[in-house]
Amino acid sequence: DLSEFNVLLGPEGPVIIDLPQAVDAAANSHAFSMLERDVGNMSAYFGQFAPELKYSKYAKEMWALYEAGKLTPDSVLTGEFDDPEEAADIDAVMREIKATLADEARRLALLDAEDAPAGEEPPPPWAQ
């Protein structure tokens, strides 16, 4: 929950304080959205004084460096980032959706089997 209240300006530059809510990016599936939110908060606030910050893409730039294993405390950021223009793999997305639906059907069938009277076979998931 980074905001302008968590940044002190020191002789060497800005210093971020109050980090007890920091998350492990590798272990948190929401890490990028949290980074994007926090950087957006900072850009919106400081953008009042430097309007070009409102249009920067620091979060995406940092995340791309992080994913590539190149983000360090000495990384020089530009605030610029070109979104990849590769086409979405629709077939892969559909396979994931179908696998998720099949998993859910199996889960529901198991729940129905637990609730079924003894000796009675539950209906198959596609018959429900």
Side-chain angles (χ1 to χ4, degrees), residues 10-31:
E12 302 289 321
V15 177
I16 297 174
I17 61 169
D18 193 19
L19 295 176
Q21 294 180 5
V23 298
D24 177 5
N28 188 317
S29 61
H30 301 290

Side-chain angles (χ1 to χ4, degrees), residues 4-65:
E4 67 274 14
F5 300 108
N6 303 100
V7 180
L8 302 177
L9 296 178
E12 302 289 321
V15 177
I16 297 174
I17 61 169
D18 193 19
L19 295 176
Q21 294 180 5
V23 298
D24 177 5
N28 188 317
S29 61
H30 301 290
F32 174 67
S33 61
M34 294 167 73
L35 174 68
E36 199 167 38
R37 177 202 64 206
D38 289 348
V39 171
N41 288 342
M42 299 298 287
S43 296
Y45 176 78
F46 289 108
Q48 297 174 74
F49 311 104
E52 65 275 12
L53 290 175
K54 293 180 181 179
Y55 307 103
S56 61
K57 297 181 179 180
Y58 285 107
K60 289 182 178 183
E61 181 183 14
M62 284 187 279
W63 193 257
L65 288 170

Side-chain angles (χ1 to χ4, degrees), residues 49-101:
F49 311 104
E52 65 275 12
L53 290 175
K54 293 180 181 179
Y55 307 103
S56 61
K57 297 181 179 180
Y58 285 107
K60 289 182 178 183
E61 181 183 14
M62 284 187 279
W63 193 257
L65 288 170
Y66 167 74
E67 287 186 316
K70 296 180 180 177
L71 183 64
T72 69
D74 298 322
S75 294
V76 177
L77 302 175
T78 64
E80 298 175 8
F81 181 78
D82 291 327
D83 288 307
E85 294 185 21
E86 56 200 41
D89 185 349
I90 302 299
D91 291 333
V93 172
M94 293 307 297
R95 282 192 301 274
E96 287 296 320
I97 291 171
K98 287 177 182 177
T100 301
L101 290 171

